[in-house]
Amino acid sequence: MSPLLAVLDGESLASPPIWLMRQAGRYLPEYRELRAKAGSFLDLCFSPDLATEVTLQPIRRFGFDAAILFSDILVIPKALGRDVRFVEGEGPRLDPIDAAGIVEVLARSRETGAVVNDLGVVIETVRRVRAALAPETALIGFCGAPWTVATYMIAGRGTSDQAPSRRFGLADPDSFARLIEALVIASTDYLVAQLEAGADAVQIFDSWAGVLSPSSFANWSLGPAARIAAGVRARVPGARIIGFPKGADRALSAYAAAMEANAIGLDWTVDLETIRRETQNRVALQGNLDPMALVTGGAALDAGIDSILAAMEGARHIFNLGHGIVPETPIAHVEQLVRRIRG
Ligand code: CP3
């Protein structure tokens, strides 16, 4: 069985399985080359040929234990009828949504099959990647968490603290709840389709969970994740689900319990001893290496890796970063990481 799936299912391995968030991306010359040919970033996400190739690039180069589907969390707003663009060197741009737009999006999410049909090319990529991978390499599908996707839909772009969405949630909680509901429905359908097409596990990225107050976290992050997980497992019994509520810190173990996560992602601010004590091997622990350690390399990288390995000895552990690889990461440092962990 694949080492990653063994750990998700309850085992701890002497040498942890490895994959890295954003492992396919701009730090790889072969990605940059293919990206230049594809035209826009969304053209790349929506071409099964090219997206399959990009998903496989880091597996070929580094032999990671898991591939992650190449796509983006913002394909869901697009499938819900919103305009989504990626501006070169700047990032995503959407038309900021209002209460009337939210009513339309909720109706769209309730049209049976609509979102998944719209994302049929992404589901086809899942099928092709699974067919191309060796059996011991796991395939991870994903979606953005409703709160994180909502922040881009409301602000129309990335912001540093998600003030526009925090404010919207407080000023018009009914509309905000409808938006979250639409995203719960669409994400559940989308993850089920990925699992049925061959994904071995799925990860829910809540990159902006850390900016919420405790009550907003319960309403907009933990609650929706638990609803998605329950909805997915009602249709795909035993589905393996990884939660990544970045910045959730002291709420991490409650979050993992609420969604019955097989694993939770840990950003680099999380204290490993504390989270191990709190979760007692009920859930696998994934991540925690500061992406800047991977940029730095050398002794700092070795020390960062060694301290995680020491803290995780005997635990259900998946080696990963605390957030995505950044484009300036040297490939030699990724090679150093794989060598150090596998010995
Ligand atoms: O991890 C992987 O290798 C799989 C592919 C993947 C991408 N985005 C590809 C991508 C995944 C899992 C994501 C998730 C994603 N997308 C998140 C959640 C995780 C996180 O990083 O916090 C978020 C918030 C987004 C939204 C998004 N997409 C932003 C803000 C940006 C611009 C920032 C940037 O790095 O350029 C993107 C673009 C994006 N998504 C790129 C890639 C490889 C770069 C686009 C390019 O190649 O031009």
Side-chain angles (χ1 to χ4, degrees):
M1 192 202 236
S2 118
L4 184 103
L5 300 186
V7 173
L8 291 178
D9 289 351
E11 283 181 51
S12 42
L13 304 180
S15 177
I18 313 169
W19 71 279
L20 302 176
M21 289 187 277
R22 286 283 177 94
Q23 64 190 20
R26 286 167 295 190
Y27 75 108
L28 292 176
E30 59 269 35
Y31 172 84
R32 294 194 300 269
E33 192 185 315
L34 204 141
R35 170 79 174 76
K37 279 192 223 146
S40 82
F41 173 67
L42 279 177
D43 289 340
L44 180 51
C45 293
F46 290 140
S47 156
D49 265 351
L50 300 181
T52 298
E53 173 59 22
V54 168
T55 304
L56 297 172
Q57 284 174 345
I59 307 303
R60 284 194 205 111
R61 196 186 257 275
F62 304 112
F64 293 131
D65 295 289
I68 179 161
L69 166 69
F70 189 83
S71 181
D72 197 81
I73 65 167
L74 298 177
V75 299
I76 284 285
K78 191 160 182 5
L80 288 170
R82 306 299 297 175
D83 189 32
V84 178
R85 312 169 294 285
F86 283 83
V87 180
E88 216 52 55
E90 289 188 38
R93 291 290 181 275
L94 294 82
D95 296 332
I97 198 165
D98 58 11
I102 288 173
V103 171
E104 286 171 20
V105 155
L106 181 58
R108 170 85 178 157
S109 75
R110 287 178 171 151
E111 284 170 37
T112 309
V115 165
V116 168
N117 285 343
D118 206 82
L119 297 176
V121 283
V122 180
I123 303 303
E124 175 59 20
T125 303
V126 173
R127 232 173 259 122
R128 292 194 195 182
V129 173
R130 186 57 273 176
L133 286 172
E136 66 273 15
T137 310
L139 173 58
I140 300 171
F142 72 92
C143 71
W147 160 249
T148 286
V149 175
T151 64
Y152 291 94
M153 295 177 78
I154 287 170
R157 59 198 298 153
T159 77
S160 62
D161 57 3
Q162 306 307 347
S165 302
R166 282 156 50 216
R167 182 172 170 185
F168 192 113
L170 293 167
D172 187 354
D174 291 343
S175 288
F176 197 74
R178 279 194 277 277
L179 177 55
I180 294 291
E181 187 54 22
L183 293 168
V184 166
I185 296 169
S187 305
T188 303
D189 289 348
Y190 183 46
L191 293 183
V192 166
Q194 292 179 40
L195 289 160
E196 287 175 342
D200 301 294
V202 289
Q203 176 158 323
I204 301 174
F205 285 88
D206 209 349
S207 308
W208 291 101
V211 304
L212 290 165
S213 70
S215 69
S216 299
F217 177 79
N219 284 337
W220 311 133
S221 178
L222 179 148
R227 297 211 295 284
I228 292 173
V232 168
R233 292 199 182 104
R235 288 154 63 187
V236 183
R240 300 177 180 98
I241 308 180
I242 305 169
F244 179 45
K246 182 170 178 288
D249 195 36
R250 268 163 297 182
L252 268 171
S253 56
Y255 182 98
M259 67 182 290
E260 296 181 50
N262 295 79
I264 38 169
L266 312 175
D267 65 62
W268 63 90
T269 69
V270 174
D271 179 65
L272 295 180
E273 218 177 289
T274 308
I275 193 69
R276 271 194 82 172
R277 194 177 342 103
E278 284 177 6
T279 55
Q280 294 293 330
N281 265 359
R282 285 187 295 268
V283 59
L285 302 174
Q286 168 179 288
N288 193 238
L289 184 70
D290 186 341
M292 291 308 122
L294 197 56
V295 174
T296 307
L301 175 57
D302 285 347
I305 293 167
D306 292 352
S307 86
I308 291 175
L309 292 177
M312 287 299 196
E313 214 186 320
R316 293 169 60 190
H317 177 213
I318 299 164
F319 208 99
N320 205 319
L321 300 175
H323 200 192
I325 299 189
V326 299
E328 57 269 34
T329 304
I331 284 169
H333 297 178
V334 181
E335 293 165 349
Q336 180 187 339
L337 175 138
V338 173
R339 271 199 314 271
R340 187 96 185 166
I341 296 166
R342 294 202 174 137

